[in-house]
Amino acid sequence: MRIDGIILRELQMPLVRPFETSFGVTRNRRILLAEVRSEGLTGWGECTAGEKPFFSGESTDTAWQVIVNDLGPMLAAAENVEHGGECPKIFRLVRGNRMAKAALENAIWDLEAQREGVSLSRLLGGVRDRIPCGVSLGIQATIPDLMAIIEKELEAGYQRIKLKCKPGWDVEVFERVRHKWPGILLSCDANSAYRLHDAERLRSFDQFDLMMIEQPLWHDDFYYHSMLQRQLHTPICLDESIHNRRDALAAIEMGSCRIINIKLGRVGGFSEAIAVHNAAMERGVPVWCGGMLEAGLGRAHNIALASLENFSLPGDVSASARYFADDIIEPEVTVTSKGEIDIPNIPGRGYEVRADLVERLTVRKETIRAFAMA
Ligand code: OSB
Ligand code: MG
């Protein structure tokens, strides 16, 4: 494929309701979209970096810079990129910056699916026709507020409820929720809000029969999670700690977790996401697809990824309308009354980009040119 042009945009999209985690509140998303043009087709990639470098070291602004200054020019200068899987090699000199890399790599896979006339799901090796869906519910002002939201999401059909938690928004909340809904699939996500001296508190979570506790300890840790896992019946699921296949293998071998959350941006794109998925599958560790409050393009890519065999647990990929009044894809993502998303079975990503809306939401835009590598 000849690369004819790369355009990077920033869109501003308000969330329909604020999303609060142990590290802060998000009200307005700043979404970066990479658009790669090649031989009459356009591939799109969405950057999942947050507005602030709180979930990981990347932010909307760092990703913008590294795409414009480094990754974009490297991709534009590459000759004959045939597959998305070639991107890690093209970007090899740049360390880290995985969410920025993923935006470009995923745009090439998106393009490749169109060029080959296959669905993105099948290009990736997906085997499912539909994926099971859960929801991730932010910290609320009061427990009754949370209860009302859970009730609504269960009525909509979602198969699993994940509660964001932190010290002070945990045991009491789980008690109330379990009392009202003894049988639902329930999990929690601490986003690194606990320390080893909280081990006793974390052990008390066992009484709530949670499917998992996501990332209780430090964002960059395996060792102390392995110590903690030995003291818990509830499986630990790692999110922030896992950046690649080696991390997944280390965590599995050390017993740091029994479940892995795979996020496309966090691992640097589809190639590494597939590698993490395969490593976990070979060792009997189930995975699920995480979310980063994505707009439609990131969501469409998550859906294709979650069609791989070992994505056997309900993920955090849910309906567009839970996040945005107006999503940038057509059709928007919807969830059936059984809490499933149907995998599009047409060539490409299966959702069209609403070019007029993208243009209206764009607050900055830059065309990226090739540079000659020294
Ligand atoms: O840890 O999974 C997380 C959102 C932003 C940053 C981190 C996380 C999340 C979510 C939301 O849990 C998942 C979603 O609904 O997109
Ligand atoms: Mg998480």
Side-chain angles (χ1 to χ4, degrees):
M1 293 190 282
R2 186 187 66 229
I3 294 188
D4 298 320
I6 303 174
I7 297 166
L8 183 66
R9 303 163 176 271
E10 177 180 336
L11 278 59
Q12 296 212 348
M13 298 179 69
L15 288 172
V16 294
R17 57 174 182 233
F19 189 79
E20 180 169 346
T21 68
S22 62
F23 58 79
V25 187
T26 306
R27 292 189 171 80
N28 292 296
R29 295 284 290 118
R30 295 173 59 197
I31 304 271
L32 299 189
L33 296 183
E35 190 180 340
V36 179
R37 303 220 170 120
S38 168
E39 301 171 15
L41 299 172
T42 303
W44 291 84
E46 181 173 324
C47 181
T48 64
E51 291 67 36
K52 293 284 172 199
F54 296 165
F55 172 81
S56 76
E58 292 184 82
S59 69
T60 310
D61 293 311
T62 69
W64 177 276
Q65 233 175 19
V66 79
I67 291 173
V68 169
N69 294 343
D70 302 292
L71 301 173
M74 284 171 174
L75 182 59
E79 277 166 30
N80 254 329
V81 183
E82 292 298 327
H83 306 289
E86 295 164 21
C87 287
K89 204 169 154 204
I90 294 170
F91 299 147
R92 71 189 179 283
L93 289 177
V94 175
R95 290 191 178 163
N97 293 282
R98 293 182 184 83
M99 293 174 179
K101 288 174 179 170
L104 292 175
E105 175 178 330
N106 295 349
I108 302 292
W109 285 89
D110 187 284
L111 196 53
E112 189 180 342
Q114 297 172 50
R115 192 197 55 192
E116 297 302 315
V118 296
S119 70
L120 181 58
S121 157
R122 291 307 180 261
L123 180 68
L124 298 170
V127 296
R128 296 172 191 279
D129 297 325
R130 58 191 74 87
I131 58 168
C133 305
V135 288
S136 171
L137 303 182
I139 294 165
Q140 305 296 318
T142 69
I143 295 180
D145 290 346
L146 176 67
M147 303 292 274
I149 296 170
I150 295 174
E151 177 136 35
K152 197 184 77 191
E153 303 294 13
L154 290 172
E155 266 168 24
Y158 286 104
Q159 299 184 16
R160 183 225 61 192
I161 302 288
K162 162 173 140 183
L163 305 177
K164 289 294 191 180
C165 66
K166 63 178 182 183
W169 185 266
D170 51 12
V171 176
E172 195 191 341
V173 176
F174 305 151
E175 240 158 35
R176 298 275 290 276
V177 173
R178 258 303 174 230
H179 186 251
K180 179 138 186 211
W181 293 284
I184 61 169
L185 295 182
L186 187 65
S187 70
C188 70
D189 185 357
N191 290 110
S192 305
Y194 298 90
R195 295 295 172 256
L196 281 180
H197 57 74
D198 299 310
E200 202 171 319
R201 190 177 192 88
L202 291 165
R203 266 199 308 276
S204 79
F205 291 11
D206 277 342
Q207 65 187 300
F208 303 113
D209 191 26
L210 304 177
M211 282 184 84
M212 67 193 102
I213 303 177
E214 194 176 334
Q215 199 75 35
L217 306 176
W218 298 268
H219 71 95
D220 55 357
D221 171 76
F222 298 128
Y223 178 72
Y224 293 104
H225 279 96
S226 79
M227 298 284 109
L228 178 65
Q229 179 68 89
R230 285 180 216 178
Q231 304 177 46
L232 302 178
H233 290 296
T234 308
I236 291 177
C237 170
L238 288 179
D239 174 355
E240 284 89 328
S241 294
I242 307 289
H243 303 102
N244 51 43
R245 175 186 157 87
R246 281 182 302 105
D247 284 349
L249 292 174
I252 293 167
E253 284 169 23
M254 291 175 72
S256 311
C257 65
R258 297 189 193 136
I259 297 174
I260 293 175
N261 166 337
I262 299 182
K263 288 179 177 167
L264 270 171
R266 200 195 65 226
V267 303
F270 281 123
S271 314
E272 199 62 36
I274 294 168
V276 172
H277 163 274
N278 292 348
M281 185 157 74
E282 287 156 15
R283 283 151 189 84
V285 171
V287 304
W288 52 278
C289 186
M292 292 291 288
L293 312 175
E294 287 91 346
L297 281 157
R299 200 163 293 282
H301 288 175
N302 285 342
I303 290 166
L305 179 68
S307 71
L308 272 66
E309 190 176 343
N310 194 35
F311 282 87
S312 51
L313 305 176
D316 277 350
V317 183
S318 60
S320 297
R322 295 189 61 252
Y323 305 84
F324 304 106
D326 228 0
D327 205 348
I328 56 174
I329 51 167
E330 174 68 44
E332 62 171 32
V333 174
T334 55
V335 169
T336 69
S337 57
K338 290 181 178 161
E340 295 173 328
I341 295 174
D342 292 321
I343 306 285
N345 185 21
I346 53 175
R349 82 183 80 81
Y351 299 87
E352 292 299 324
V353 175
R354 294 177 61 186
D356 52 337
L357 182 60
V358 166
E359 196 60 46
R360 254 188 292 141
L361 296 172
T362 297
V363 296
R364 59 173 167 165
K365 183 170 166 181
E366 188 139 333
T367 302
I368 292 165
R369 290 169 218 294
F371 63 33
M373 295 284 289

